[in-house]
Amino acid sequence: MLKKTEAPDLDALRLLDDRLRWLSAWTIHNANHLRESADGLKVGGHQASCASMTAIMAALYFHALGPNDKVAVKPHAGPVLHAIHYLLGTQSREQLENFRGFKGMQSYPSRTKDRIPVDFSTGSVGLGVAVTAFASLVQDYLVAHGMMDAGAAGRFVALMGDAELDEGNIYECLIEAYKHDIRNCWWIVDYNRQSLDATTAERMFRRFDEIFASCGWRVVTLKYGKRLEAAFAEEGGAALRDWLEQVSNADYAALTYLGGAAWRERLEKEAPDAAPVLAARDDDALHALMTNLAGHDMESLVEAFDAARDDVPTLFIAYTVKGQGLPFAGHKDNHAGLMNPGQIAALRERMGIAEGEEWEPFAGLGGNSAEGVRALVEKSRIAREKRERPWRQAEVPAIAPPAGEEQSTQAAFGRILLDLAKAGGPLADRIVTTSPDVTVSTNLGAWVNQRGLFRRQELADVFAKAKIPSAQKWGATAAGQHIELGIAENNLFLMLAALGLAGDLFGERLLPIGTVYDPFIARGLDALNYACYQDARFMLVATPSGLTLGPEGGAHQSINPPLIALGQPGLRHYEPAFADELALMMEESFRLMQAPDGESVYLRLTTRTVRQPEREGEAWKDGALAGGYWLKAPGEGAEAALVYCGAIAPEALAAWDALKDDVPGLGLLAVTSPDLLHRGWSAARAARWRGGEAAESHVERLLGRLAPQAGLVTILDGSPAALSWLGGVRGQRVSPLGVDRFGQTGNLPDLYREYRLDADAIVEAAAELFL
């Protein structure tokens, strides 16, 4: 059991609820109505979505949360989080005034862009919820491996709108969380029963209860506040409760907007036995009673949070009113609604805030009230500053490529990891691997055999105990370093996000490596983008690449991942053709994952076995890490070059050999990262436009060895657009070869011939271009 909290000052918490509602609404109003607009566009914001969350967040941040707890805040309640830190003194008025402005507080909570401590970025709905479960698993991993004191463990809280429960990633996560016996999670649903366009479906409430309970979660429904519960005990109260249990979400929202007289008229007609309850209240009191839902009732919230202070994962379904306390509460169009100047002035007057004191943290509070609120704010136990990024580095040893005249990059990856596992040391001890049910087929099997599966509770290898021969050891212990996931790729990227944030969240770095089938990156692309947006650091190893997969055919042959990598910030793409390139890039990846200005890395590998090159020296290495190098250097001012990337290297070499006598000075350029080449080119042009140094980018220097009118044949087992842009660097002609349609099954010679990736196709493209 966790330490019990002291009894709260409920009156002060209620006043904080009011302050958060005002400050969030005023921040949005200022941005839309008072701040000068340079473009005339609506700034936006979500006053109604903030208002439905203020009581919940006041109860959490000023009572229930401890210093080690981590929270993912509902995207549209971002202004409430900033208002909390404004009261704490860790957010500036300038930032609030610049809401959604350049370098001001962000539209939605952002770990990297906001100045206040944000545990998890949110914005793409559902992902901020699901990542908390994987962060809980990472915490258990660190405790089990002695990297973290169990006493420092915290809880992971996700604040979500009820419409977020439509997101499929939540249920994929829920299943995985059940498999791994996730704990220390609170998911709190702002159940206002309104989405962006309409009210939510009537039938779903009981389903959510059943779904979560079946996965081992405790479900706590917070429906009626204390005043309503008391009214139910009055004469006529039972009839009132029966009516409330049956009223539709749309009707409840509409009556909330219409107010006390509408409530009375409807109840007199449909619940005549509730007449005594109505007779005892005027219209204003009746409206206050009918909207007294537990999600706004401070006593109900505090009781519920205090009663769930063990490590059992808990879903709180907190009934709320969207826009509570605002003039458009309950209106179906209130999601993006904004109060007009007259409405905000009326709200200010009702709260006793003098004109000109709108930004004062405790404006409108009397002396004693202000003192109680300040005392509660000062006692808040949440983390108030961003954690200093723990750039403590595990030394990266030189990684030697595996021996062998012929190798595939996928097999070489497995052998490199096995060597690291056997050698041990700080680097190997901080590596955590994970995969969505493709561990063996992506060559992680040897690593897992050496380092083991991770589970908090030991799981015996039944096949080994039964002496059934198998190459794989699948026993699991708390000391294991591989987290096996189900087949949902979305969960893989959320797991990598949580592992890659271990340093920021817990002060202990991990070096995560995730493997996946290359064509299925797209299945988890939203979560991959989410992980990169948070600056989580990881190595993504995707294989096999393209048509080179061969007999699998169709959707299993990846086409667009190089384009995805080309446009994904925070993710460096390398596509090595040879084992020594891969070893070099893995070494660089481990450095990048730990560097303050580093990033995550995506390695696109292949199952195809190719003959390894004979190197002359190590001059090629710097170029390979920068994105490309001349495997066969061109003659000065040469008229032509072949440019290849990845698995297609043997065909490019064969074509170069066939053409070199007919095309004098023909070069063969190995592109190891279209992504890096394009980034460098863009950065150099931007620097020149800004009047900076006219330094050439790496790709400009590479192609500068060719004549200005030279021709390029680009070859890639993927979308040809990932390389065809090279012609724009120096205005050189390009004949791009690649794959832009779904592949067939077949052997490699047949497939390469059909899709114009073989040596003959390269020669033909060169002849057309050069001759």
Side-chain angles (χ1 to χ4, degrees):
M1 294 287 290
L2 298 177
K3 183 180 178 182
K4 187 176 180 180
T5 58
E6 62 182 80
D9 181 341
L10 290 175
D11 288 336
L13 281 172
R14 293 184 185 106
L15 290 171
L16 280 167
D17 173 14
D18 290 340
R19 296 307 305 158
L20 297 180
R21 186 180 300 108
W22 166 257
L23 282 170
S24 58
W26 180 253
T27 295
I28 296 167
H29 178 80
N30 177 76
N32 286 275
H33 292 286
L34 304 179
R35 193 172 72 207
E36 185 178 349
S37 173
D39 54 20
L41 296 177
K42 175 184 175 181
V43 176
H46 299 86
Q47 290 173 329
S49 294
C50 288
S52 65
M53 284 290 292
T54 53
I56 294 170
M57 292 180 70
L60 281 172
Y61 281 86
F62 299 107
H63 171 67
L65 294 180
N68 298 322
D69 296 338
K70 308 293 187 294
V71 187
V73 175
K74 183 181 80 167
H76 295 147
V80 183
L81 178 65
H82 289 272
I84 287 169
H85 279 277
Y86 185 58
L87 295 179
L88 292 169
T90 49
Q91 178 58 295
S92 68
R93 173 175 167 176
E94 178 187 23
Q95 281 281 291
L96 296 188
E97 289 179 323
N98 201 20
F99 171 57
R100 293 194 173 194
F102 185 57
K103 294 190 176 180
M105 59 177 276
Q106 299 296 296
S107 307
Y108 311 120
S110 171
R111 273 187 17 79
T112 56
K113 298 181 184 300
D114 276 318
R115 295 184 184 180
I116 63 171
V118 173
D119 299 317
F120 303 99
S121 299
T122 52
S124 184
V125 293
L127 296 177
V129 177
V131 76
T132 59
F134 293 101
S136 174
L137 180 57
V138 173
Q139 178 175 262
D140 284 340
Y141 181 96
L142 291 168
V143 170
H145 286 78
M147 298 181 186
M148 180 177 174
D149 184 357
R155 180 181 286 109
F156 300 87
V157 181
L159 304 175
M160 72 179 94
D162 51 341
E164 283 190 82
L165 287 168
D166 290 340
E167 287 287 349
N169 69 74
I170 286 178
Y171 303 98
E172 288 182 331
C173 164
L174 192 61
I175 293 169
E176 197 65 57
Y178 182 68
K179 293 177 190 175
H180 288 276
D181 192 22
I182 291 298
R183 53 185 180 162
N184 289 320
C185 275
W186 282 0
W187 288 1
I188 304 172
V189 183
D190 171 14
Y191 200 63
N192 59 47
R193 293 159 288 165
Q194 287 185 254
S195 59
L196 276 71
D197 294 331
T199 51
T200 54
E202 308 284 343
R203 305 173 61 197
M204 291 311 300
F205 165 65
R206 293 296 177 196
R207 302 293 80 79
F208 296 141
D209 193 323
E210 293 168 3
I211 290 167
F212 278 82
S214 69
C215 289
W217 285 58
R218 172 173 50 211
V219 180
V220 177
T221 300
L222 300 170
K223 190 168 187 179
Y224 302 120
K226 296 297 183 181
R227 279 181 290 166
L228 261 176
E229 292 284 2
F232 295 153
E234 298 175 14
E235 183 183 356
L240 178 64
R241 183 173 192 138
D242 289 343
W243 184 85
L244 276 170
E245 288 293 319
Q246 298 301 320
V247 69
S248 72
N249 290 344
D251 278 334
Y252 184 88
L255 289 167
T256 297
Y257 178 71
L258 291 170
W263 284 113
R264 189 177 302 277
E265 180 182 354
R266 186 70 171 270
L267 286 163
E268 286 176 345
K269 179 180 179 182
E270 297 182 3
D273 291 345
V277 177
L278 277 59
R281 294 162 175 86
D282 63 17
D283 285 350
D284 288 343
L286 180 61
H287 177 70
L289 176 69
M290 298 303 289
T291 55
N292 175 230
L293 299 180
H296 301 299
D297 188 90
M298 198 59 68
E299 188 175 354
S300 300
L301 290 167
V302 166
E303 283 183 3
F305 294 155
D306 285 351
R309 295 190 57 78
D310 51 23
D311 66 0
V312 176
T314 303
L315 177 74
F316 296 93
I317 301 175
Y319 277 70
T320 60
V321 171
K322 191 162 187 174
Q324 173 77 344
L326 304 183
F328 42 56
H331 195 290
K332 73 180 183 68
D333 299 332
N334 66 12
H335 181 78
L338 297 170
M339 283 184 282
N340 61 40
Q343 290 171 324
I344 199 79
L347 178 62
R348 178 181 58 215
E349 184 177 346
R350 190 166 75 246
M351 296 190 69
I353 298 171
E355 191 169 357
E357 294 186 358
E358 292 88 350
W359 293 110
E360 291 301 315
F362 304 107
L365 299 179
N368 290 337
S369 295
E371 185 178 338
V373 169
R374 284 194 180 93
L376 197 58
V377 167
E378 288 171 5
K379 287 193 296 186
S380 171
R381 301 184 304 142
I382 68 163
R384 305 187 183 208
E385 303 291 344
K386 285 191 174 184
R387 182 192 293 275
E388 288 189 16
R389 303 201 79 175
W391 299 123
R392 178 174 46 209
Q393 297 197 11
E395 185 178 349
V396 181
I399 296 178
E405 292 185 1
E406 294 195 358
Q407 298 185 64
S408 73
T409 47
Q410 177 177 292
F413 163 72
R415 290 170 66 185
I416 289 170
L417 269 188
L418 176 60
D419 290 343
L420 287 172
K422 288 180 175 179
L427 181 71
D429 290 344
R430 290 190 178 268
I431 291 174
V432 187
T433 59
T434 185
S435 187
D437 201 34
V438 291
T439 295
V440 176
S441 52
T442 55
N443 277 55
L444 277 177
W447 162 268
V448 176
N449 283 347
Q450 193 72 27
R451 291 283 170 153
L453 287 164
F454 170 72
R455 284 294 178 101
R456 280 194 296 118
Q457 289 83 28
E458 187 169 343
L459 184 67
D461 185 340
V462 173
F463 283 80
K465 280 194 169 185
K467 298 184 179 178
I468 298 173
S470 171
Q472 305 304 320
K473 302 172 185 175
W474 287 95
T477 69
Q481 289 181 239
H482 176 75
I483 299 173
E484 179 69 359
L485 302 173
I487 204 166
E489 283 79 7
N490 209 77
N491 284 340
L492 168 73
F493 293 120
L494 289 173
M495 183 80 257
L496 288 173
L499 288 165
L501 291 175
D504 293 283
L505 295 175
F506 308 108
E508 286 292 341
R509 178 191 307 284
L510 294 172
L511 299 172
I513 300 174
T515 63
V516 67
Y517 289 167
D518 196 61
F520 300 143
I521 284 178
R523 292 173 62 173
L525 193 54
D526 192 16
L528 172 60
N529 181 64
Y530 174 71
C532 292
Y533 178 65
Q534 301 200 81
D535 197 23
R537 302 291 180 80
F538 52 87
M539 185 191 302
L540 172 63
V541 180
T543 182
S545 57
L547 287 168
T548 306
L549 180 56
E552 290 280 351
H556 275 63
Q557 295 170 337
S558 60
I559 297 169
N560 64 347
L563 292 180
I564 292 171
L566 201 60
Q568 178 61 59
L571 185 70
R572 179 177 300 196
H573 167 214
Y574 281 126
E575 189 157 345
F578 306 114
D580 57 358
E581 293 176 349
L582 172 65
L584 180 71
M585 290 162 191
M586 286 183 69
E587 193 177 316
E588 179 71 0
S589 299
F590 287 125
R591 279 193 287 267
L592 285 168
M593 290 159 69
Q594 302 181 80
D597 58 348
E599 58 189 331
S600 293
V601 178
Y602 157 43
L603 300 174
R604 189 172 187 244
L605 307 184
T606 178
T607 53
R608 185 189 190 191
T609 300
V610 301
R611 180 171 291 280
Q612 302 300 297
E614 294 182 6
R615 303 288 190 185
E616 295 181 3
E618 298 188 346
W620 62 277
K621 289 185 175 181
D622 288 342
L625 290 180
Y629 66 98
W630 288 106
L631 188 64
K632 302 291 184 180
E636 197 64 35
E639 299 287 334
L642 308 181
V643 183
Y644 77 90
C645 182
I648 214 74
E651 284 62 39
L653 276 162
W656 180 86
D657 197 54
L659 286 166
K660 68 179 188 296
D661 292 335
D662 296 323
V663 183
L666 178 68
L668 181 60
L669 180 62
V671 171
T672 54
S673 178
D675 164 42
L676 279 184
L677 293 183
H678 193 277
R679 273 198 244 174
W681 180 45
S682 295
R685 285 181 299 142
R688 291 195 286 268
W689 295 335
R690 294 181 182 125
E693 294 184 12
E696 283 190 317
S697 64
H698 182 55
V699 69
E700 288 173 311
R701 289 191 297 273
L702 286 170
L703 297 180
R705 298 184 62 174
L706 305 174
Q709 71 277 13
L712 308 173
V713 178
T714 61
I715 316 106
L716 169 68
D717 188 357
S719 173
L723 290 180
S724 62
W725 62 270
L726 288 169
V729 175
R730 291 189 174 274
Q732 293 158 333
R733 295 166 296 146
V734 175
S735 180
L737 299 180
V739 183
D740 53 13
R741 53 199 167 109
F742 292 114
Q744 298 283 337
T745 58
N747 59 47
L748 289 187
D750 289 342
L751 291 173
Y752 284 177
R753 184 165 50 251
E754 172 65 20
Y755 293 91
R756 290 181 52 76
L757 290 177
D758 62 357
D760 289 343
I762 298 170
V763 170
E764 289 171 9
E768 182 181 62
L769 192 60
F770 306 143
L771 305 179

